[in-house]
Amino acid sequence: MVVCGDDGLAHRLAAELRGVYDEQVTLVVPPNRRTARPPVVGRARAASAALFDRMVSAAVGTVGRAGPTGQPTGPATGQRTDGEAVLEAAEPTEAVLAEAGVARAAALALVYDDDETNIRAALTARRLNPRLRLVLRLYNRRLGQHIEELLDQAAALAAGDAAGPDAGLEASTTVLSDADTAAPVLAATAVAGTSRVVQTEGLLLRAVERPLSGEDGAGLSTLALLSGGEQPPLLLPGDEEVRRAAGRQAVVLEHVSSPTDAESATPARRLTGVMPLASLFSRRLRWSLAGLVGCVVALAVTLWLVTGIDPLRACYITLLDLFAIDDPAFKEPLGRQVLQLLSALVGLLLLPVLLAAALEALGTFRTASTLRRPPRGLSGHVVLLGLGKIGTRVLTRLRELNVPVVCVESDPEARGLATARRLRVPVVLGDVTQEGVLEAAQIHRARTLLAVTSADTTNLEAVLYARTVRPDLRVVLRLYDDDFATAVYRTLRAAHPNALTRSRSVTHLAAPAFAGAMLGRQVLGAIAVERRVLLFAAVDVDGHPQLEGHTLREAFHTGSWRALARLGHPDTSSEHVLEKGDRVVVAATRRGLAELR
């Protein structure tokens, strides 16, 4: 396996392939890269699954690669240790890919942060090895679909030219996005009552945290038992363990019939794309118009009572006086003259109000294509910090769930501002570390603070400040370093035991999907269970000894993997016998998914 990248995802993916799946890995990274530290990774083959999940640190040095003459050659340098090599190269050029062994590799992952770099390297790699399995990290979804088709077609033509039309071809191209992989988990964690969802081929599954009751019993629904007291978390427990865990907090799987059923949380106030009357005119202006209408009605009724004329004629005359288009009442009684003066006065008051209404409406329509401000009285919303690559995907996911959102972004050129404008989501432009910015986002009435900027210190500072404003505020923050994230999580939980605190790493959530794609498997999603991750994958039953001929209930290995449902048959009984042609959704740990190979 060859992994090329320039940030934490490359290191995390290499650690995943080497430490969990025991693959031979060559990692290509830029030289002297200090901002993206290699994640922790275990090396001992005899270590237990728990030790592999926690992973110990592995230090990798860099030396020159010697050529036949004994002198360093080529554009990259590196060292190979126990099945793992690290090459340093500024760019994934053809010479670098050749030195990394792409011509002999089974799979290549290109996870640079720049789409153009990944595409250029993928085209080169496909020429070097038409049978290579390619996994690309691309943010642009539409471009990714075209690139998949192009590279697969190029592989088929190259294989046909080299070995004839009957040559078997196992090459494939998979385009993934770390943002798309992590966004559903981050969005689900931020929203109270919103389930973590895995969806594929019409099957919609969601995982919720709740205490086990005696009615749960044993079966397919319990994914994990959460930690409590001295008890550590337990993934995919057996039937007996579930029965003995009554009352313990657990992650339980539920099936819903449609995506709309997954919207378990009803926001206090929804922000839709339709412009309501309340957003067209301010509250003060609406009250002014209502007061003037009341005055006109009162004057018309008084004129009717004083003069005894027909009520409709009284309204008509009042309006004429109001707009000063009637003759003066010189020969009329005193009451009529007083009413005419009062009507003229109300008319004078009405003119500036009408002008203000016209200007305010014009300004509202002109700013419909610009950023909105948080509406007055908004509550129960999610404050989203950061509209970069991850924040944009999280924003889209939250709006799909009809969750009200207020965004905070310091960069006026951020890529997510266009999405916020299109979705008509309020945005506060400003540095979140400056006083008054979170207050402008109405953090004191928010439901959740979701900090997903690229700077760990910014996320932490925003969370700590928000907790001083609202000690019970639910917070979800994106942190890169696992040790740092664990320390922050434990400290915040201890300092605020009555508030929900979650820390998430995007690379930690995205790496399993990339690793699965490199191994030729389809990873549908991931669900975080405390600091561990459960993976969901689609597996073909054909010829699989651990699945074929077994019922869904029997297709189970405690602590490793469990078959959940047949794709295309979400209502199948757990006693259904799996046979050829079936595809099942499997929940598994990292090592459990490796066992299913």
Side-chain angles (χ1 to χ4, degrees):
M1 303 290 175
V2 181
V3 177
C4 303
D6 58 356
D7 61 5
L9 181 58
H11 294 285
R12 175 74 63 183
L13 179 54
E16 187 85 14
L17 293 169
R18 179 68 188 95
V20 177
Y21 299 104
D22 199 22
E23 293 286 345
Q24 303 287 329
V25 181
T26 297
L27 176 62
V28 180
V29 292
N32 300 323
R33 184 74 176 181
R34 301 296 180 222
T35 57
R37 297 186 299 167
V40 238
V41 55
R43 293 186 179 278
R45 296 194 182 190
S48 64
L51 289 176
F52 270 112
D53 284 332
R54 298 176 66 176
M55 296 185 181
V56 296
S57 163
V60 180
T62 301
V63 298
R65 180 181 296 275
T69 62
Q71 299 299 323
T73 62
T77 60
Q79 181 182 24
R80 180 172 296 278
T81 57
D82 190 22
E84 178 178 301
V86 177
L87 303 180
E88 290 190 348
E91 293 183 358
T93 61
E94 182 173 351
V96 171
L97 294 176
E99 184 175 356
V102 166
R104 304 178 305 277
L108 167 66
L110 296 164
V111 293
Y112 290 93
D113 194 46
D114 178 55
D115 287 2
E116 182 180 348
T117 301
N118 292 328
I119 295 173
R120 185 170 60 248
L123 296 173
T124 303
R126 180 59 82 209
R127 187 176 67 254
L128 293 175
N129 186 353
R131 294 182 176 274
L132 184 69
R133 183 181 297 117
L134 284 173
V135 179
L136 278 73
R137 171 191 185 182
L138 294 183
Y139 182 78
N140 191 323
R141 301 179 189 178
R142 182 176 300 177
L143 177 61
Q145 295 175 355
H146 296 312
I147 291 297
E148 275 192 12
E149 298 173 358
L150 175 64
L151 292 174
D152 284 344
Q153 184 177 1
L157 292 175
D161 293 340
D166 297 329
L169 181 66
E170 297 181 357
S172 64
T173 305
T174 304
V175 175
L176 296 174
S177 168
D178 55 336
D180 287 334
T181 305
V185 180
L186 291 169
T189 307
V191 181
T194 299
S195 304
R196 291 165 285 189
V197 175
V198 176
Q199 182 177 4
T200 178
E201 298 183 21
L203 179 63
L204 186 62
L205 303 172
R206 62 182 179 182
V208 295
E209 293 184 10
R210 61 177 174 83
L212 288 176
S213 62
E215 299 177 356
D216 290 313
L220 306 180
S221 61
T222 305
L223 296 179
L225 300 176
L226 301 180
S227 59
E230 299 297 327
Q231 297 174 314
L234 181 60
L235 302 184
L236 301 173
D239 293 347
E240 289 299 325
E241 294 166 319
V242 173
R243 293 190 182 97
R244 293 195 302 265
R248 185 173 171 181
Q249 284 289 121
V251 178
V252 180
L253 190 69
E254 297 178 351
H255 169 255
V256 289
S257 58
S258 64
T260 55
D261 295 335
E263 299 169 13
S264 53
T266 301
R269 180 172 178 175
R270 297 173 184 255
L271 300 177
T272 63
V274 179
M275 184 184 299
L277 183 62
S279 65
L280 189 62
F281 302 112
S282 65
R283 184 179 180 182
R284 181 180 301 177
L285 184 57
R286 294 197 304 271
W287 276 110
S288 299
L289 290 173
L292 289 174
V293 170
C295 292
V296 172
V297 172
L299 289 172
V301 172
T302 305
L303 180 61
W304 168 49
L305 295 176
V306 169
T307 61
I309 62 178
D310 183 79
L312 291 178
R313 181 172 177 80
C315 292
Y316 176 69
I317 293 177
T318 301
L319 290 176
L320 292 178
D321 292 338
L322 188 68
F323 295 110
I325 56 177
D326 197 12
D327 294 332
F330 291 124
K331 300 180 179 180
E332 300 292 336
L334 179 62
R336 169 74 182 90
Q337 294 177 347
V338 172
L339 288 175
Q340 188 177 57
L341 292 176
L342 292 176
S343 298
L345 178 62
V346 173
L348 292 176
L349 296 176
L350 180 61
L351 289 177
V353 174
L354 291 177
L355 179 61
L359 294 177
E360 193 166 296
L362 178 62
T364 301
F365 283 114
R366 289 184 62 183
T367 58
S369 59
T370 60
L371 298 177
R372 301 181 64 198
R373 300 289 298 175
R376 301 176 181 88
L378 179 65
S379 63
H381 57 287
V382 173
V383 176
L384 176 63
L385 306 185
L387 284 176
K389 183 174 62 174
I390 303 297
T392 303
R393 293 288 194 253
V394 173
L395 172 61
T396 303
R397 180 62 179 169
L398 289 172
R399 293 304 303 128
E400 288 174 354
L401 295 174
N402 288 323
V403 176
V405 184
V406 174
C407 300
V408 179
E409 175 56 54
S410 60
D411 183 9
E413 303 296 329
R415 69 173 75 195
L417 292 179
T419 301
R421 186 180 299 112
R422 175 174 56 84
L423 297 176
R424 296 189 54 78
V425 173
V427 177
V428 177
L429 286 176
D431 187 352
V432 71
T433 61
Q434 300 297 322
E435 186 176 356
V437 174
L438 282 178
E439 284 81 358
Q442 303 185 24
I443 192 67
H444 56 287
R445 290 198 296 266
R447 172 189 302 175
T448 306
L449 172 63
L450 180 54
V452 294
T453 70
S454 58
D456 288 1
T457 54
T458 299
N459 295 335
L460 181 58
E461 183 177 353
V463 166
L464 294 177
Y465 178 75
R467 279 284 168 83
T468 63
V469 179
R470 279 271 309 277
D472 61 338
L473 181 68
R474 179 182 296 106
V475 297
V476 180
L477 64 160
R478 167 193 176 188
L479 298 175
Y480 172 75
D481 186 84
D482 277 347
D483 294 335
F484 182 50
T486 301
V488 168
Y489 168 71
R490 291 175 177 173
T491 304
L492 288 176
R493 186 177 60 177
H496 303 277
N498 296 324
L500 180 64
T501 303
R502 292 290 184 266
S503 60
R504 296 288 182 260
S505 169
V506 173
T507 58
H508 186 75
L509 296 173
F514 282 82
M518 293 186 72
L519 296 169
R521 292 191 299 271
Q522 181 186 6
V523 177
L524 304 175
I527 287 181
V529 179
E530 297 185 351
R531 297 301 301 170
R532 302 178 67 184
V533 174
L534 268 179
L535 306 177
F536 292 82
V539 178
D540 291 321
V541 174
D542 293 2
H544 204 300
Q546 295 171 297
L547 297 175
E548 189 174 352
H550 297 275
T551 65
L552 281 175
R553 184 179 297 277
E554 295 170 345
F556 172 44
H557 188 285
T558 302
S560 295
W561 56 270
R562 164 165 254 163
L564 302 174
R566 283 199 303 163
L567 288 174
H569 303 274
D571 298 326
T572 300
S573 168
S574 61
E575 301 301 328
H576 172 78
V577 178
L578 300 175
E579 54 190 14
K580 291 183 178 181
D582 286 342
R583 297 184 73 225
V584 293
V585 176
V586 174
T589 62
R590 287 182 171 92
R591 295 199 60 81
L593 193 58
E595 292 175 9
L596 286 175
R597 295 178 60 184

